[in-house]
């Protein structure tokens, strides 16, 4: 059996980081946040209120794809990543070298807006949400969770539905 490589995906404010961190802790895997891997130019562009283009994302996605392969070889990982388009997900899958498990957090738009408006110190602001929603191609595969439960409950659902062993099992 391949080590688990799990991507928790969705638009900004969907809870990817929170759910991803809890899921990684439950499984005893390292957690990585895709936001931490953006080059400075991407962060500056988003902080200035400009959405990223496919070209802006290409190098970032290629680097994450390479990292996924390394993380898989090292025993698995959980990555929080927007992975908004199918082409982006295909890039990530191609670099992983093993099947990825996808957890899509499908969150109500008004909840997203409220979360982003309340964020402090993050470059992704509430006024950028519309561009992410317009770019989002919801996957037709993977686990779809609606963000109407506490994060710990979402993690319970992910572990059960993806048939993932807890840490130390």
């Amino acid at each position: 059996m391949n080590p688990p490589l799990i991507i928790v995906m969705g638009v900004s404010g969907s809870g990817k980081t929170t759910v991803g961190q809890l899921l990684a802790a439950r499984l005893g895997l390292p957690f990585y946040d895709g936001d931490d891997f953006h080059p400075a130019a991407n962060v500056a562009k988003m902080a200035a209120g400009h959405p990223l283009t496919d070209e802006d994302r290409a190098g970032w996605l290629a680097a994450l794809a390479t990292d996924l392969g390394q993380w898989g070889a090292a025993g698995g990982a959980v990555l929080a990543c927007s992975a908004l388009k199918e082409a982006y997900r295909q890039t990530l899958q191609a670099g992983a070298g093993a099947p990825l498990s996808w957890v899509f957090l499908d969150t109500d738009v008004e909840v997203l807006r409220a979360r982003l408006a309340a964020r402090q110190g993050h470059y992704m602001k509430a006024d950028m949400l519309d561009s992410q929603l317009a770019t989002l191609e919801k996957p037709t595969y993977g686990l779809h969770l609606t963000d109407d439960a506490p994060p710990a409950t979402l993690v319970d659902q992910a572990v059960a539905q993806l048939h993932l062993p807890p840490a130390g099992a």
Side-chain angles (χ1 to χ4, degrees):
M1 182 172 163
N2 291 320
L5 282 172
I6 304 159
I7 298 185
V8 180
M9 61 161 294
V11 298
S12 189
S14 62
K16 298 181 298 291
T17 300
T18 300
V19 171
Q21 288 173 329
L22 290 171
L23 181 59
R26 171 83 64 86
L27 300 175
L29 294 172
F31 170 77
Y32 300 97
D33 192 325
D35 285 349
D36 295 338
F37 294 82
H38 273 294
N42 284 6
V43 173
K45 187 172 185 178
M46 289 184 283
H50 303 290
L52 297 179
T53 65
D54 288 349
E55 294 76 27
D56 294 328
R57 290 184 178 100
W60 170 69
L61 288 165
L64 285 175
T66 298
D67 290 339
L68 281 164
Q70 294 170 353
W71 300 332
V78 176
L79 171 67
C81 180
S82 55
L84 297 173
K85 288 186 177 181
E86 182 60 29
Y88 305 165
R89 295 188 290 273
Q90 289 176 6
T91 296
L92 295 171
Q93 180 59 72
L100 295 172
S101 295
W102 297 92
V103 178
F104 172 55
L105 299 179
D106 198 1
T107 308
D108 179 77
V109 174
E110 293 312 312
V111 171
L112 294 168
R113 289 189 198 292
R115 286 179 181 169
L116 291 175
R119 263 190 184 168
Q120 299 295 317
H122 194 280
Y123 58 80
M124 186 68 179
K125 306 295 184 226
D127 59 353
M128 296 282 292
L129 179 61
D130 290 336
S131 71
Q132 284 209 328
L133 292 170
T135 302
L136 178 63
E137 298 170 0
K138 291 184 180 183
T140 58
Y141 49 85
L143 178 59
H144 290 233
L145 298 177
T146 54
D147 193 4
D148 57 0
T153 301
L154 296 174
V155 170
D156 290 341
Q157 292 171 358
V159 169
Q161 293 181 43
L162 293 174
H163 308 290
L164 298 168

